[in-house]
Amino acid sequence: MDVTMPQMGVSVAEGTVVEWKKQVGDWIEADEIIASISTDKIDTDVESPATGRVAEIIVNVGDTVDVGVVMARIATDARPGEAHASENGDLGTGEAAAAVEAPGAAGELLGDAERDTSQAKRYSPVVMRMAAEHNIDLSQVQGTGRGGRVSKKDVLAFMEGGAEEPPMHIESPYRPDEPAIKRKPKPRLQRVEEVPKSDTVAAPSPSGGSLSRMRQAIGSRMVQSLQTAATCTTIAEADMSRIEVARKAAKMSYLPFQARATIETLLEFPHLNATLEGDQHTVHSEAVHLGIAVSLGEGGLIVPVIRDAQDLSVEGLSKRIKDLAARARTNQLTPDEVSGGTFTITNPGPFGSIMATPVINLPQVGILDTEAVVKRPVVVTDELGNDSIAIRSMTYLCMSWDHRALDGAYAAQFLSALRKKLESWPIT
């Protein structure tokens, strides 16, 4: 049975082995930790996919390999207490044989040297390259990763003199608590009411050149989605005036309110709160595991998941989103927090975009894009049926969905129900 470098996010292309918890000849149970790895987004442990004896370790501590590369092999036909056979059929010698006589001894024999190596090589290639380019002594950089490991973001913070890294941008759900500023209105252009003061979009590199490994990984996942799903996009318009009042009173962004309304609507339309793998359409009718797309700038894209989001209030969702976003920036997310989502929200609205066609996060069947809330004139009808023109805070709800799993009428009904929830939000 192969142990491979796991996928830990849509833009993770490679990982570094930090430590082997087991060595050749050691017995291991299924789901027992066999190694610790590190990526630019997550530091985590790798569990054994099966019960057996470690037959081969292919990737050394400190080596960085692509996602999917075989790191070790487990002999599943072995038995506890049996000596591990070598390739020529003889009983293994040295450390492997010692492991049979005294479990764990092989790990101790091999482990000390490799632990020393892991300490000396705990920096990823990206971090070492940045340190070389900017003449940085990495021993002076405070690490925030597992065991104090220094990440790319730690180096960036060190280069900025210890200042906090700017908030995430583009698809980030995170908005700082400080007051927002208003853009000056321009002729013939709609005015975006709020733009986070410190959220700035990074300019593309002027040098151009080949795509980075991160961009290649994202591209591969996006192309896979477009080639696999029968992607369609449905767009609805919603009056956010009542949400505007409620969020200002609560001193929160739009996103927690939109997320709460989306969760309630998904429970009414569960075929969108679902995954599709092959011909297996798994519908989640009682629980919403909500993914929030988070852009890390040059660090790529990751989708933390709020499990059982239906149990959280607007205030609870706001706190959870901020927590996940903050920990995403410092490589503190766990594997469980980036997997198992049933529906995703992406939120580029704070940067002024008004319409988009998001790419589905497979194997999910739907993704909602929440766009900028813009004041503009609309026709309103009073209780007597009289029409008039008024200024309202409006937004577009853009949802991409998989036509293999549902039809356009279902998607339109979902957005209509979501719009009604937003437009009738209670104001206390």
Side-chain angles (χ1 to χ4, degrees), residues 168-175 183 192-196 199-201 253-255 258 291-295 301 321 344-359 367-374 395-400:
M168 295 175 292
H169 53 76
I170 307 220
E171 290 178 282
S172 167
Y174 176 74
R175 292 168 61 116
R183 288 181 178 174
V192 177
E193 282 302 295
E194 292 193 357
V195 176
D199 283 356
T200 57
V201 178
S253 69
Y254 296 103
L255 184 57
Q258 294 168 321
I292 301 291
V294 176
S295 173
L301 180 69
I321 290 170
T344 294
I345 292 178
T346 179
N347 180 48
F351 300 92
S353 61
I354 62 170
M355 197 174 295
T357 55
V359 179
I367 180 171
L368 178 68
D369 176 271
T370 56
E371 292 291 340
V373 177
V374 179
T395 192
Y396 289 111
L397 305 170
C398 309
M399 186 178 70
S400 291

Side-chain angles (χ1 to χ4, degrees), residues 122 138 140-151 154 330 332:
R122 65 176 183 168
L138 290 174
Q140 302 300 312
V141 180
Q142 180 66 40
T144 59
R146 179 189 299 272
R149 181 177 179 272
V150 176
S151 69
D154 296 326
T330 54
Q332 299 298 312

Side-chain angles (χ1 to χ4, degrees), residues 7-54:
Q7 176 75 51
M8 291 295 172
V10 294
S11 62
V12 173
E14 61 186 14
T16 301
V17 176
V18 176
E19 180 184 3
W20 284 106
K21 304 292 186 179
K22 298 287 184 177
Q23 300 300 326
V24 172
D26 285 354
W27 183 259
I28 189 167
E29 298 290 337
D31 300 327
E32 186 178 357
I33 295 173
I34 188 171
S36 294
I37 63 168
S38 178
T39 74
D40 279 343
K41 291 187 177 65
I42 295 176
D43 296 338
T44 188
D45 294 322
V46 178
E47 297 177 348
S48 173
T51 297
R53 194 176 302 285
V54 179

Side-chain angles (χ1 to χ4, degrees), residues 156-271:
L156 290 173
F158 182 84
M159 291 168 59
E160 294 173 2
E164 183 180 357
E165 184 183 5
M168 295 175 292
H169 53 76
I170 307 220
E171 290 178 282
S172 167
Y174 176 74
R175 292 168 61 116
D177 291 330
E178 65 264 23
I181 60 171
K182 293 184 178 181
R183 288 181 178 174
K184 294 181 179 180
K186 297 180 180 179
R188 300 182 183 177
L189 291 180
Q190 295 167 325
R191 179 161 59 95
V192 177
E193 282 302 295
E194 292 193 357
V195 176
K197 185 175 182 179
S198 56
D199 283 356
T200 57
V201 178
S205 170
S207 58
S210 301
L211 289 175
S212 66
R213 293 176 61 82
M214 175 272 291
R215 292 307 326 164
Q216 292 178 39
I218 292 177
S220 176
R221 291 292 296 275
M222 298 301 101
V223 169
Q224 178 191 12
S225 176
L226 291 173
Q227 291 179 340
T228 302
T231 305
C232 298
T233 302
T234 302
I235 300 173
E237 190 176 32
D239 185 340
M240 298 285 285
S241 298
R242 296 181 69 84
I243 297 292
E244 180 75 15
V245 174
R247 78 168 194 89
K248 285 185 175 180
K251 297 182 180 179
M252 289 189 289
S253 69
Y254 296 103
L255 184 57
F257 295 91
Q258 294 168 321
R260 182 63 220 177
T262 299
I263 293 164
E264 293 176 5
T265 311
L266 285 170
L267 294 175
E268 298 173 7
F269 294 84
H271 286 272

